[in-house]
Amino acid sequence: MKTLIGKVLKYNIKNLNTDLIIPARYLTKSDPNYLAEHCMEDLDSEFNKKKEKYNATILVADSNFGCGSSREQAPIALKAAGIKCVIAPSFARIFFRNAINIGLTILEFKEINALNTGDALEINFKDGIVKNLTSNRKYKVKKMPLFLQEIISAEGLLNFARNKILKK
Amino acid sequence: MGLTITEKILKDHCDDKKASAGDFILARIDKCLANDITAPIAISVFDKIMEGTKKAVFDAKKIILTPDHFTPNKDVASAEQCKILRKFAQEYKIVNYFEIGRVGIEHCLIPEQGLVLPGEVFIGADSHTCTYGALGAFSTGVGSTDLGVSMALGQCWLKIPETIKIVYSGKLNKWVSGKDLILYTIAQIGVDGAIYKAIEFTGKVIENLSMANRFTMCNMAIEAGAKNGIIVPDKITKEYLQNIRHFNYKTYENDKDADYFDEIEFNCSFIEPQVAFPHSPDNAKPISEVDAIKIEIDQAVIGSCTNGRLEDLITAAKILKNQKIKSNVRCIIIPGTQKIYLDALKMGLIEIFIDAGAVVSTPTCGPCLGGHLGVLASNEVCVSTTNRNFVGRMGHKDSKIYLSNPAIAAISAIKGYITSPTYSLTK
């Protein structure tokens, strides 16, 4: 995890839940591309169109993002839809761990008012700095705990576990 | 400073003897669980971890697989998902794989089978795994990758949570159940009120609450964002375990000087039955306000991991006995497990339901997550004893779900609008 440069798509919504991210009716299949097609459709049927229009790879929303079910299909659908990072003031805890485990970057950032759809951001994860290139402002963010950085640097929990098994 | 029950259980399940709230640990797990939605991804993660090695699960007796969500298979795609579980269970000799005919809704089935005990660390790839805190276990929901890794290593990374203590004092009013207490609690603290935290339910009211109601309360701790809900084991816990022939387990309790993140007290004498309005579980209003506005319903669902236990069906039967469901309302009743179904049958409850004009289904999560057996059309309204009333949760995105206890759902099915037996049970 180094630096990410990308554009923002923002939903000013609190408690954006996993049923909105991927409705349960699509959970009969695990194919990421199929899930991506239906990602966020009950919230905004134009999600995929808007994402393309703004060339967005960074999703911004309000607090308690990803609340609800444990479905890992939620971060999988977002990742397969081309989202590289989700920014919110807080995350529901199962979404938080699922995202880290599958290698979708997430960032806890309180000042989402400073970010708007179409803004270009430069995020430096190592130093914990978010730069809004559109408004030309810089923000400090909380760095991720070392333990989680290890999982992310192994590119997800799967590789972290595989390294352990291979060492046995 | 002393430790809470949650902190003590987790500390005893890791190598870090100094671990306390806020620390990340690799916890040794006692059991792990996945269902037909979460297991296929977990199994593919497991396969990738084990590729090219001598494949083995960490302990075949400690893995539980319950195809309960879209079963009996609702379509070809869900049949394919279940096939993956079945094949994995055969290959790795998973003794606690529950086939259709034996399976039930996981969070009703697992305690009933004695597969979770006090003091254990239990993780499940299902958000409502927090249910088992009612037995004094640390149990929490995780994702599929977590589960795949746990099946390989028998370990799971966790952050030891701080605890919010909630004291329930006073006396329970008529028709007020564990469901109402938890809906009230979520309304007070919000859907993110306990994010990353443990909630401990305590106080005189909890001490006298049945196991079924305790399961309901811990089940919905996740709806306040909590990592786990927990109740310190007592006489009622012990009796429950005796009845299912379990005598050997380790119980934990809080240190006298345990350090809590927050302490809240609710006086239950002021709590009425609650109804959570669309589209959030923290949107609860007291039934007196709800009855006044006569919300007409198309469907009533009684069941789920929240309210599909025998006690819930007994309550529903008390209300439905010798009554008829309103002609334009569908009432769907789903016993949580085969045992609950059979007990209800022997007690004559099923006959009461069918006579009233309800449909009784085989155990399944089914309509709770808009899967099958009761999906809603656009603009339809449902009163449900389930746990989530999000947009589109039970079907069309323009349908509406009101969450309630089984008594409210049953009387509403008879009257055709959301009401309480207090106002409407006069013949």
Side-chain angles (χ1 to χ4, degrees):
Chain A
M1 210 173 42
K2 292 165 235 155
T3 304
L4 172 70
I5 297 176
K7 286 191 170 174
V8 168
L9 179 60
K10 181 175 173 181
Y11 290 93
N12 222 337
I13 294 173
K14 283 185 183 173
N15 312 315
L16 204 160
N17 65 64
T18 51
D19 279 273
L20 290 176
I21 298 169
I22 184 74
R25 59 183 177 275
Y26 301 117
L27 300 182
T28 52
K29 293 184 191 168
S30 313
D31 173 22
N33 295 323
Y34 171 79
L35 298 171
E37 275 171 41
H38 300 288
C39 189
M40 306 279 261
E41 74 174 32
D42 282 359
L43 175 72
D44 179 4
S45 55
E46 306 271 283
F47 171 74
N48 277 316
K49 260 194 213 154
K50 280 186 192 156
K51 203 187 62 206
E52 270 163 39
K53 181 181 163 195
Y54 295 107
N55 195 18
T57 54
I58 300 169
L59 183 69
V60 177
D62 210 336
S63 58
N64 199 24
F65 184 91
C67 64
S69 116
S70 68
R71 65 190 67 155
E72 198 160 297
Q73 287 89 335
I76 289 173
L78 287 168
K79 196 180 172 192
I83 298 297
K84 295 204 161 39
C85 179
V86 184
I87 299 178
S90 64
F91 290 86
R93 56 159 289 274
I94 306 180
F95 184 91
F96 181 96
R97 58 186 302 132
N98 283 343
I100 287 167
N101 287 348
I102 67 148
L104 171 69
T105 311
I106 53 175
L107 197 65
E108 286 185 338
F109 181 61
K110 300 265 178 258
E111 294 156 79
I112 57 159
N113 287 338
L115 311 176
N116 293 300
T117 294
D119 284 0
L121 305 187
E122 183 186 299
I123 307 169
N124 182 324
F125 294 101
K126 201 170 141 272
D127 301 328
I129 292 168
V130 173
K131 218 190 269 179
N132 187 334
L133 303 172
T134 307
S135 67
N136 210 13
R137 297 191 65 167
K138 229 160 106 176
Y139 305 89
K140 200 108 179 94
V141 292
K142 205 169 78 182
K143 279 189 268 179
M144 213 164 251
L146 205 62
F147 185 88
L148 299 184
Q149 282 190 34
E150 274 177 42
I151 294 175
I152 289 165
S153 63
E155 290 177 22
L157 188 66
L158 194 156
N159 291 319
F160 178 82
R162 182 157 170 82
N163 294 340
K164 279 194 132 202
I165 289 283
L166 293 177
K167 265 190 223 155
K168 265 190 188 171
Chain B
M1 206 46 127
L3 299 176
T4 66
I5 175 171
T6 296
E7 290 162 350
K8 280 185 182 173
I9 295 172
L10 288 174
K11 191 166 154 272
D12 272 7
H13 281 78
C14 73
D15 293 333
D16 182 358
K17 289 300 154 224
K18 285 188 201 144
S20 65
D23 290 340
F24 285 89
I25 59 165
L26 260 181
R28 288 184 295 277
I29 56 163
D30 294 301
K31 308 275 171 43
C32 64
L33 158 78
N35 58 48
D36 49 320
I37 289 180
T38 56
I41 297 176
I43 289 167
S44 100
V45 166
F46 174 84
D47 285 341
K48 282 178 195 149
I49 294 169
M50 290 296 178
E51 206 179 321
T53 69
K54 200 174 156 232
K55 282 181 159 193
V57 294
F58 86 104
D59 189 334
K61 289 194 282 300
K62 294 184 174 177
I63 295 167
I64 305 165
L65 296 173
T66 51
D68 61 350
H69 276 60
F70 293 159
T71 56
N73 303 333
K74 77 180 183 96
D75 53 20
V76 173
S78 48
E80 294 292 342
Q81 301 261 78
C82 287
K83 201 168 141 189
I84 297 170
L85 272 71
R86 191 173 296 116
K87 189 168 159 278
F88 183 83
Q90 283 164 358
E91 191 176 344
Y92 292 96
K93 302 190 167 44
I94 307 295
V95 286
N96 291 309
Y97 163 79
F98 291 89
E99 191 51 271
I100 306 306
R102 274 144 279 176
V103 77
I105 298 172
E106 52 198 304
H107 309 309
C108 297
L109 181 75
I110 283 159
E112 176 191 287
Q113 295 283 327
L115 286 172
V116 58
L117 293 170
E120 289 190 341
V121 169
F122 191 116
I123 62 157
D126 186 281
S127 60
H128 293 111
T129 304
C130 52
T131 308
Y132 319 135
L135 287 166
F138 172 85
S139 71
T140 192
V142 297
S144 292
T145 297
D146 282 311
L147 218 278
V149 167
S150 298
M151 292 197 296
L153 299 180
Q155 289 177 322
C156 182
W157 69 268
L158 293 167
K159 186 179 168 184
I160 302 182
E162 295 173 300
T163 299
I164 298 172
K165 176 178 173 176
I166 307 185
V167 182
Y168 296 84
S169 61
K171 228 179 129 219
L172 277 189
N173 287 312
K174 181 86 173 151
W175 303 114
V176 172
S177 66
K179 180 64 165 285
D180 304 290
L181 297 185
I182 191 65
L183 286 177
Y184 179 85
T185 302
I186 298 163
Q188 296 302 310
I189 68 175
V191 284
D192 59 353
I195 199 165
Y196 308 127
K197 303 280 188 290
I199 300 181
E200 189 188 320
F201 301 104
T202 179
K204 274 275 168 288
V205 169
I206 304 297
E207 283 167 28
N208 293 305
L209 207 59
S210 69
M211 276 314 301
N213 279 297
R214 291 180 183 190
F215 283 126
T216 303
M217 291 189 74
C218 289
N219 172 273
M220 286 189 72
I222 177 72
E223 267 34 271
K227 179 169 222 149
N228 64 310
I230 200 159
I231 295 170
V232 174
D234 60 10
K235 200 169 141 269
I236 290 174
T237 326
K238 209 174 147 189
E239 277 170 14
Y240 176 88
L241 290 163
Q242 262 170 0
N243 284 336
I244 53 167
R245 297 174 195 293
H246 277 279
F247 307 96
N248 295 319
Y249 46 84
K250 183 173 179 186
T251 56
Y252 290 81
E253 53 189 56
N254 300 295
D255 284 335
K256 289 250 178 318
D257 59 343
D259 191 16
Y260 289 99
F261 174 79
D262 199 2
E263 293 190 37
I264 306 168
E265 182 171 340
F266 295 128
N267 185 342
C268 299
S269 307
F270 299 107
I271 300 176
E272 291 179 41
Q274 303 284 307
V275 176
F277 278 44
H279 296 283
S280 182
D282 66 357
N283 206 5
K285 300 189 197 319
I287 192 67
S288 56
E289 281 179 32
V290 185
D291 179 75
I293 52 175
K294 305 264 184 291
I295 300 159
E296 290 189 6
I297 59 165
D298 299 289
Q299 181 168 296
V301 171
I302 299 169
S304 83
C305 61
T306 311
N307 279 125
R309 297 182 181 80
L310 189 63
E311 202 174 309
D312 301 314
L313 300 187
I314 291 170
T315 302
K318 267 186 206 155
I319 296 188
L320 290 169
K321 190 168 185 178
N322 299 324
Q323 299 281 336
K324 288 283 176 212
I325 285 158
K326 183 122 183 168
S327 59
N328 58 347
V329 173
R330 291 110 50 187
C331 181
I332 300 168
I333 302 181
I334 309 175
T337 65
Q338 292 288 77
K339 183 181 185 307
I340 295 169
Y341 199 162
L342 196 57
D343 286 346
L345 189 72
K346 288 176 184 164
M347 290 172 74
L349 310 185
I350 305 296
E351 200 176 330
I352 292 172
F353 298 149
I354 293 174
D355 277 345
V359 67
V360 183
S361 151
T362 188
T364 179
C365 304
C368 171
L369 74 165
H372 60 157
L373 296 167
V375 175
L376 299 172
S378 58
N379 300 312
E380 285 193 329
V381 176
C382 179
V383 63
S384 181
T385 69
T386 54
N387 41 56
R388 291 194 178 124
N389 53 353
F390 297 156
V391 170
R393 171 76 179 178
M394 292 181 84
H396 197 279
K397 68 178 175 57
D398 296 328
S399 57
K400 291 193 180 77
I401 307 160
Y402 293 81
L403 304 176
S404 78
N405 73 30
I408 300 289
I411 191 72
S412 303
I414 296 166
K415 293 290 166 184
Y417 62 90
I418 303 176
T419 182
S420 162
T422 308
Y423 312 121
S424 303
L425 206 59
T426 46
K427 306 264 159 75

